[in-house]
Amino acid sequence: MNLNYYVYVYLIENWLSSHFICIIDTTLTYKLMIHEMYFISFHRYFVVALLVLILFAIVYGCSNVKHQQSAVDTSKNTSIFGKNVFIFDDTMDPYRVKKTLKALHEQQRYREFGSERYALLFKPGIYDLDITVDYYMQALGLGRYPEDVTIRGAVQSTTSTSNDNIPNKVTTMFWRGAENFKVIPKDDKMIYWAVSQAAPYRRMHVVGDINFDKGSWASGGVLANSVVEGRAGLTSGQQWMTRNSSIGSWEGGNWNRVFIGVKGAPQDTWPTKPTTIIDKTPVIREKPFLTYTPSGDYAVFVPALRRKTSGPTWINADEDGELIPITSFYIANPNQDDANSINQALAKGKHLLLTPGIYKIDETLHITQPNTVVLGLGLPTLIPQNGEVALATLDIPGVKLAGFMVDAGPKLSPTLIEIGTEDVNSNYPDNPISLHDIYCRVGGAEAGLAETTLTINSNYVIGDHFWLWRADHGVGTGWLDGVNKHGLVVNGDYVTIYGLFNEHFQAYQTLWNGEYGRTYFYQSEIPYRPPSNKVWNDQGKPGYASYKVADYVQHHEAYGLGIYSFFSGEPTITNQVRVENAVEVPNHSGILIHHISTFSGKHGGINHVINGLGPSTEALELKHFDGFKGKD
């Protein structure tokens, strides 16, 4: 009897710990029952067993009710974009809209590695509400310009975590986005877009102030093509990139902050405040976006290529570009489409719109037609199943890839995305390929393998915000003999990248082989748990540099680099793992690296900043290094 009693106690405690208890009375009943079981006699054993089953039924029923109440109802979403795209207009019942937004927030706020994906589309109009954006949610105004969709309230990301007695952390608030709204805060309240990587705030007009953290750990982020009339900035965040925007003022930022083509940017006071200022953005095409036309049709607007610019594209409502009708797109659905159906549509000259969801593909998606637009809504995710490249383009002009994720699959892929073929020799400087808000993952949500996540072979490619991530938490984080080598490999010439976040890969995070490359803002963490420098070394040097320009390259520029080591776990700590250089570049007259910040966590460190130069970065030290100018 005693054994049976303890078995029941164990089962009850473990079952209840993994389920919600919907009413206090049920909890009290459970406690009383456990207490009374000390005194039961054997002949009442079956009576107690029956009571336990009844208790299970009560709690299970209550927890299911709670689960159903918090689940998001997608049954009424019958648009051409599928069930995971919510479309709102300002004639809808405000209560129902707010109820839907609240349900999405409650469901998605902590689902870091969940499979759900959602897009929230707001037609032109005025809305009195707060839009809270969480994991795998994208909020989009459907106007031609931000002023067309006005939110009197907030477009915000406010979820945080608390652990180790540190509240309000947003270091894992990833994979979300907001675009194309005018936001008028109520009662002049601060807007909080408190995020880290893969969470851009684009094409926004904030009539007030905005903060990009919650006064605790944060690792953001990107503000692009936006206006903030008041104060923008950080309280405690590590780094931030702002591009082609207009801000009233800027405040804060600890390790690295970079401004490219920003009106109202702070002064460059490096190294007192780690700030890098580029007055003009040399070349950019802004991200394509979905819009709702006055005739009641959907279309995708593709902004034109611009050179040597500052400030937003849309400020005078005269933005140049091309409006492509939605009928020119193949609208893919993860529940209906596979790689074959998508490739058939692409081969026929269709653009591609990926609706929210997970696409497990068994062959490469091939982009073969010039000027093809591939646009994701709600962070759709491609996962190759057979070790293939997930998406590849020919070396053709004008391709635009925007707003989607690629996860490594169960078999080793040589790369997840490939831009152009290895034998490229074409040049399209006036109509280049561009990539916007592209996120690649190895591990985290599911174990995966990829030697490289993004390979750029074509010339003149523009990169507009990448997060390339080998997972440091979640599943599939083991060392695996170092097969996940690089986040980014650039073989093409004249490639320009803004906002390159690239972390935890097992060789060079970034390997740049092409000539005349340019990077504006770089954030990278070294892998956390290399077993030892005997295993993890570059021809005898401890570890691998995060940012590596090939020895034969004659011309390269990089501005505002932040590289950090957080070695942890065993046997990494015992083996005192270190890395020799944060950056390695050739010593040629065409090489310019401007502003490098390094930081080390509690263990190990960085021996030098660049090429054996600069001081070491020891435990809990932050160092700022002016940079490097090559000489022949």
Side-chain angles (χ1 to χ4, degrees):
M1 178 182 137
N2 289 339
L3 176 62
N4 288 327
Y5 161 68
Y6 284 115
V7 168
Y8 271 100
V9 170
Y10 174 81
L11 290 173
I12 292 171
E13 288 179 342
N14 280 274
W15 191 89
L16 287 172
S17 69
S18 62
H19 289 74
F20 293 102
I21 298 176
C22 68
I23 53 174
I24 295 175
D25 290 343
T26 304
T27 307
L28 294 174
T29 302
Y30 162 67
K31 291 179 178 178
L32 289 170
M33 181 174 290
I34 296 300
H35 178 73
E36 291 298 324
M37 288 183 77
Y38 279 104
F39 305 103
I40 63 174
S41 60
F42 182 74
H43 72 274
R44 299 179 66 186
Y45 169 80
F46 289 106
V47 175
V48 173
L50 180 61
L51 289 173
V52 169
L53 290 174
I54 293 171
L55 172 62
F56 274 31
I58 292 171
V59 178
Y60 182 74
C62 291
S63 64
N64 267 355
V65 168
K66 183 170 182 178
H67 175 73
Q68 291 168 1
Q69 289 174 343
S70 65
V72 176
D73 181 10
T74 61
S75 62
K76 297 179 182 179
N77 296 341
T78 59
S79 76
I80 58 175
F81 304 118
K83 67 183 183 69
N84 282 10
V85 176
F86 291 84
I87 301 175
F88 305 102
D89 66 65
D90 63 356
T91 66
M92 297 172 70
D93 179 359
Y95 171 78
R96 291 186 177 275
V97 174
K98 292 176 182 178
K99 183 179 179 181
T100 298
L101 295 177
K102 182 180 180 181
L104 282 164
H105 168 60
E106 292 297 329
Q107 176 179 291
Q108 295 300 112
R109 60 189 306 190
Y110 295 122
R111 293 193 179 184
E112 180 178 1
F113 296 122
S115 60
E116 302 88 351
R117 306 284 188 272
Y118 298 100
L120 315 179
L121 311 183
F122 290 79
K123 291 182 178 180
I126 299 174
Y127 301 80
D128 290 292
L129 48 77
D130 295 339
I131 304 170
T132 302
V133 184
D134 292 284
Y135 284 116
Y136 310 111
M137 292 171 59
Q138 184 184 31
L140 303 169
L142 291 177
R144 178 64 182 80
Y145 295 99
E147 321 301 305
D148 296 334
V149 182
T150 297
I151 305 298
R152 294 192 294 218
V155 177
Q156 61 188 6
S157 177
T158 57
T159 300
S160 61
T161 61
S162 300
N163 52 56
D164 299 327
N165 296 317
I166 302 173
N168 294 322
K169 291 182 179 180
V170 297
T171 40
T172 58
M173 294 301 136
F174 312 134
W175 304 305
R176 65 198 68 196
E179 300 179 34
N180 207 27
F181 293 98
K182 181 178 182 179
V183 184
I184 304 174
K186 286 186 177 180
D187 302 320
D188 296 324
K189 291 182 179 179
M190 176 78 74
I191 300 293
Y192 286 93
W193 184 255
V195 297
S196 287
Q197 290 85 352
Y201 209 64
R202 283 185 178 272
R203 202 177 174 85
M204 300 291 288
H205 182 180
V206 177
V207 187
D209 303 329
I210 187 167
N211 208 60
F212 298 118
D213 60 47
K214 295 183 73 176
S216 184
W217 294 7
S219 187
V222 170
L223 174 71
N225 199 22
S226 294
V227 171
V228 177
E229 293 189 14
R231 171 257 189 218
L234 298 160
T235 308
S236 53
Q238 295 171 3
Q239 67 275 316
W240 195 270
M241 186 196 82
T242 305
R243 180 187 58 72
N244 283 95
S245 295
S246 175
I247 58 178
S249 63
W250 180 272
E251 181 182 14
N254 288 327
W255 295 357
N256 185 30
R257 53 188 195 175
V258 178
F259 301 83
I260 310 114
V262 176
K263 297 179 178 179
Q267 293 183 346
D268 182 349
T269 57
W270 179 279
T272 304
K273 292 184 178 180
T275 307
T276 303
I277 305 294
I278 308 296
D279 290 334
K280 300 284 186 180
T281 303
V283 59
I284 191 67
R285 175 192 288 130
E286 295 293 345
K287 181 184 177 182
F289 60 92
L290 185 68
T291 186
Y292 189 71
T293 68
S295 61
D297 299 313
Y298 293 98
V300 171
F301 187 79
V302 180
L305 188 73
R306 302 191 305 155
R307 299 183 188 276
K308 297 181 179 180
T309 59
S310 64
T313 58
W314 48 266
I315 198 70
N316 296 315
D318 58 356
E319 187 175 26
D320 292 332
E322 178 185 9
L323 191 66
I324 305 174
I326 200 67
T327 52
S328 297
F329 282 79
Y330 182 76
I331 300 175
N333 186 304
N335 299 317
Q336 300 172 5
D337 284 292
D338 57 16
N340 182 57
S341 62
I342 292 172
N343 276 329
Q344 287 183 14
L346 290 167
K348 293 176 182 178
K350 285 283 190 179
H351 302 286
L352 176 62
L353 192 145
L354 295 167
T355 61
I358 308 293
Y359 296 77
K360 293 188 175 182
I361 54 176
D362 57 5
E363 60 182 84
T364 301
L365 301 185
H366 292 285
I367 311 300
T368 61
Q369 303 296 320
N371 301 309
T372 298
V373 176
V374 178
L375 178 63
L377 292 182
L379 291 91
T381 304
L382 308 176
I383 308 178
Q385 298 299 297
N386 298 320
E388 72 275 15
V389 176
L391 184 147
T393 77
L394 295 180
D395 186 34
I396 50 180
V399 173
K400 299 94 179 172
L401 309 178
F404 60 88
M405 301 173 62
V406 183
D407 278 2
K411 297 181 180 180
L412 181 65
S413 294
T415 189
L416 298 180
I417 300 174
E418 185 172 33
I419 306 301
T421 54
E422 293 182 1
D423 56 347
V424 299
N425 54 18
S426 303
N427 294 305
Y428 308 106
D430 295 326
N431 190 20
I433 296 172
S434 61
L435 294 82
H436 315 262
D437 295 343
I438 299 296
Y439 315 133
C440 296
R441 270 191 318 206
V442 180
E446 60 179 69
L449 297 169
E451 184 171 326
T452 301
T453 63
L454 174 58
T455 301
I456 299 176
N457 297 315
S458 293
N459 300 328
Y460 292 96
V461 172
I462 298 171
D464 174 25
H465 184 214
F466 302 152
W467 190 32
L468 314 174
W469 188 61
R470 175 181 165 267
D472 59 88
H473 60 282
V475 301
T477 62
W479 191 252
L480 296 175
D481 298 324
V483 297
N484 303 309
K485 293 182 179 179
H486 311 295
L488 173 68
V489 174
V490 178
N491 298 317
D493 296 337
Y494 297 97
V495 172
T496 302
I497 299 178
Y498 307 94
L500 173 54
F501 300 75
N502 189 1
E503 304 189 273
H504 308 303
F505 292 91
Q506 295 165 303
Y508 307 121
Q509 313 295 303
T510 297
L511 174 58
W512 208 296
N513 298 315
E515 290 285 356
Y516 295 98
R518 295 179 293 191
T519 297
Y520 298 89
F521 181 91
Y522 182 69
Q523 185 265 327
S524 179
E525 287 184 358
I526 303 297
Y528 285 2
R529 300 177 186 89
S532 67
N533 281 128
K534 183 178 180 180
V535 171
W536 187 59
N537 70 86
D538 183 9
Q539 299 180 358
K541 291 182 296 187
Y544 286 84
S546 172
Y547 194 92
K548 171 71 173 182
V549 179
D551 294 344
Y552 53 80
V553 171
Q554 299 293 314
H555 301 88
H556 188 88
E557 299 176 15
Y559 301 86
L561 288 73
I563 297 167
Y564 322 128
S565 72
F566 292 93
F567 295 121
S568 61
E570 292 294 351
T572 305
I573 295 173
T574 295
N575 289 332
Q576 299 179 350
V577 173
R578 297 179 68 88
V579 64
E580 181 67 14
N581 294 303
V583 180
E584 292 180 358
V585 298
N587 189 14
H588 299 149
S589 61
I591 304 294
L592 174 63
I593 309 296
H594 187 66
H595 292 174
I596 307 169
S597 297
T598 57
F599 180 83
S600 176
K602 295 179 180 179
H603 306 285
I606 302 171
N607 291 341
H608 298 285
V609 178
I610 182 170
N611 292 4
L613 304 173
S616 67
T617 308
E618 302 301 332
L620 302 180
E621 285 187 338
L622 173 66
K623 298 290 180 67
H624 300 303
F625 192 71
D626 290 347
F628 177 85
K629 179 69 174 72
K631 300 177 182 178
D632 282 325

